[in-house]
Structures are given as structure tokens and as C-alpha cells.
Amino acid sequence: MPIPEDVTGDEIDKDVRQELLSLPKTLADDVARNLVMVARLLDEDPEGAYGYSRVALRLASRVAAVREAAGFAAYASQKYGEALAEFRAAKRMTGNIDLWPVMADCERGLGRPEKALDMAGAPEVHKLDKAGQVEMRLVAAGARRDMEQLDAAIVTLQSPELAANSVQPWTARLRYAYADALLAAGRESEAREWFAKAVEADRDGSTDASDRLAELDGVEFVDVITDDETDGDDETDGGDSSSEEGDSSEEEKD
């Protein structure tokens, strides 16, 4: 797969670069550049990221960082079986349990929420840092919802991290998940309160909490078409009947 010329491979994390030192330099550079592309595309083009991850995997399957990157690319592409296999391989290579929550979420993706709950109660969870434990709690709550156990999902999310006033990287997502579970259980006033709290904590727009809050408050967002724009559309479309109907409906809304 083609890689833009501006991608050198030096952009990768220094720890990953250290892992690649076990490879011949030219090969290490090729793998690094593919890993950079995985990171670049993971959010906006998961399938593209997956393609680059497969190249890196073909070149250096014995490097744990490559297996982990391949796992996240497969996970983002909803290829949960592949993702789980890659995460397990990376865990075997490093002994690191940081991937435990996302491995459990893969079990959910494969339609095995019971297995995800088993993992949530495993000893490995106690070895996770605070962020990892919160992530595991989110996965466990999701598994409860998969099993239509809404009350249990709500209880699962109730924790010191949820009640804390300080804002941490996970705070917005935790509050959002709690609000969403409350709403699903028909507890609308409480859900509104927690969506509002999620908005307060969501400094980088990682959730759509503000939209959900507006929806609960009955706010509707309507595209406003000016008269000039309407006239221009009529001229361009040559009086297309569907456009005329759309314009008239907008005028009625206004």
C-alpha cells in the first residue's frame, strides 16, 4: 500500500521504535512507516488503517507493538475475532495486562457478554491502573446492557470515579454511559442531570452529550435556507419538483 512521502517512521512512539531495533534497519523503517499510517487513519478510516496493519503484520509478526496495532485496527473495523487474537498474542509476548478491557469488549462484539463479565471479575483487573479499571467498568456495564440487565448496568457504573468532582480523561465517557443507562431505564430526569454533567467534563468533544442533552430539552436543529439560496437552487436545478417540495417544507418550518 502506498505511503505518503512525508511519513518517515520517526513519528512513532520511542518505545515502539525501541521494539523495532530487533529488526534490520530497512525493515524496521518500513514497519514504522506502516504503523504511523495505522495511527493516522485509525479514527477516520478504520479499513485503511487495517490495510496498513496487515502489511506491518506480514513484515514483523513477532513484534508485540505490531500485534497490538493490528489488534486495534481490526477492533476499529469491527473484526472482533481478529482483534482478540492479536491482543492475546501481544499479551503473551509482553505479559502486559493493559489490553484486558479491550479484549473483554471484543468478547462483547463477538456476542459473548457473559465472557466479558467473567473477565471483569478476573484477578487481572486488580493489576490495571485507574484508567484501565474505569474502562473495564464501562465494558462490564455494556455487557449487562447486552443481556438486557439495565438495573445491573446502572449499579455497575456507580463508583467513586463517577461521583468524583475532579475531571479525569475518562470522566465524560463514564458520566455519559451512566446517563445513557438511566435513560434506557426510563429515568429521564436523572439522565438529563448526568448528560449535563458529561457535557461539563467533555472538554474535547469525545461524546455527543451536548446533543443528547438538547434532545431531552426538546431543542430541534433545523437547517435554515435563505430566500437567495432557495432562488439559486431553483435556477440550478431547473425547477426540479423534488427541490421545490423541499424548499416549501423549509419555508413552512420557518
Side-chain angles (χ1 to χ4, degrees), residues 137-151:
R137 190 176 291 276
L138 288 166
V139 172
R144 291 293 185 188
R145 293 192 62 174
D146 293 341
M147 300 166 67
E148 299 184 357
Q149 299 175 358
L150 281 175
D151 290 341

Side-chain angles (χ1 to χ4, degrees), residues 73-197:
Y75 177 79
S77 301
Q78 299 184 4
K79 298 176 175 64
Y80 298 115
E82 286 186 40
L84 186 56
E86 298 302 340
F87 290 142
R88 283 173 174 166
K91 180 177 176 292
R92 282 195 303 270
M93 291 176 177
T94 64
N96 195 320
I97 47 82
D98 290 350
L99 295 171
W100 196 253
V102 71
M103 289 168 64
D105 206 39
C106 285
E107 295 288 1
R108 285 186 60 213
L110 291 168
R112 302 192 293 244
E114 298 89 350
K115 179 62 177 175
L117 287 176
D118 287 344
M119 293 179 69
E124 284 85 350
V125 175
H126 300 295
K127 301 176 184 177
L128 295 169
D129 62 13
K130 182 62 69 177
Q133 290 179 7
V134 170
E135 195 64 35
M136 193 71 249
R137 190 176 291 276
L138 288 166
V139 172
R144 291 293 185 188
R145 293 192 62 174
D146 293 341
M147 300 166 67
E148 299 184 357
Q149 299 175 358
L150 281 175
D151 290 341
I154 290 169
V155 171
T156 298
L157 293 168
Q158 292 171 346
S159 62
E161 293 80 21
L162 179 68
N165 291 323
S166 62
V167 174
Q168 302 295 335
W170 58 77
T171 303
R173 291 178 58 235
L174 186 58
R175 292 177 179 178
Y176 182 96
Y178 188 59
D180 194 44
L182 288 169
L183 187 60
R187 295 161 61 175
E188 186 172 316
S189 62
E190 293 173 84
R192 191 206 172 282
E193 175 188 349
W194 282 97
F195 275 127
K197 290 182 178 181

Side-chain angles (χ1 to χ4, degrees), residues 6-253:
D6 67 311
V7 175
T8 65
D10 293 333
E11 302 90 341
I12 63 172
D13 184 86
K14 63 179 181 179
D15 291 336
V16 177
R17 172 60 74 178
Q18 187 70 29
E19 282 193 60
L20 296 179
L21 291 179
S22 61
L23 304 174
K25 187 178 186 313
T26 301
L27 179 58
D29 289 343
D30 287 343
V31 173
R33 295 178 73 215
N34 278 282
L35 291 180
V36 171
M37 292 306 298
V38 173
R40 277 193 180 185
L41 298 176
L42 196 60
D43 293 330
E44 63 186 51
D45 182 10
E47 287 295 335
Y50 176 76
Y52 284 105
S53 76
R54 301 309 293 179
V55 175
L57 197 58
R58 188 173 67 248
L59 295 173
S61 62
R62 295 186 179 182
V63 176
V66 171
R67 304 303 289 266
E68 184 174 328
F72 278 110
Y75 177 79
S77 301
Q78 299 184 4
K79 298 176 175 64
Y80 298 115
E82 286 186 40
L84 186 56
E86 298 302 340
F87 290 142
R88 283 173 174 166
K91 180 177 176 292
R92 282 195 303 270
M93 291 176 177
T94 64
N96 195 320
I97 47 82
D98 290 350
L99 295 171
W100 196 253
V102 71
M103 289 168 64
D105 206 39
C106 285
E107 295 288 1
R108 285 186 60 213
L110 291 168
R112 302 192 293 244
E114 298 89 350
K115 179 62 177 175
L117 287 176
D118 287 344
M119 293 179 69
E124 284 85 350
V125 175
H126 300 295
K127 301 176 184 177
L128 295 169
D129 62 13
K130 182 62 69 177
Q133 290 179 7
V134 170
E135 195 64 35
M136 193 71 249
R137 190 176 291 276
L138 288 166
V139 172
R144 291 293 185 188
R145 293 192 62 174
D146 293 341
M147 300 166 67
E148 299 184 357
Q149 299 175 358
L150 281 175
D151 290 341
I154 290 169
V155 171
T156 298
L157 293 168
Q158 292 171 346
S159 62
E161 293 80 21
L162 179 68
N165 291 323
S166 62
V167 174
Q168 302 295 335
W170 58 77
T171 303
R173 291 178 58 235
L174 186 58
R175 292 177 179 178
Y176 182 96
Y178 188 59
D180 194 44
L182 288 169
L183 187 60
R187 295 161 61 175
E188 186 172 316
S189 62
E190 293 173 84
R192 191 206 172 282
E193 175 188 349
W194 282 97
F195 275 127
K197 290 182 178 181
V199 170
E200 292 175 2
D202 196 358
R203 295 167 179 171
D204 58 359
S206 61
T207 74
D208 64 347
S210 59
D211 293 340
R212 299 293 299 278
L213 182 61
E215 184 180 333
L216 284 174
D217 288 341
V219 177
E220 294 185 9
F221 299 96
V222 179
D223 290 335
V224 178
I225 300 178
T226 64
D227 292 339
D228 291 342
E229 289 173 332
T230 303
D231 293 341
D233 289 343
D234 288 342
E235 291 173 6
T236 303
D237 295 334
D240 179 85
S241 60
S242 63
S243 296
E244 290 172 358
E245 291 172 2
D247 293 340
S248 63
S249 65
E250 290 294 338
E251 290 170 1
E252 291 171 3
K253 289 179 184 178

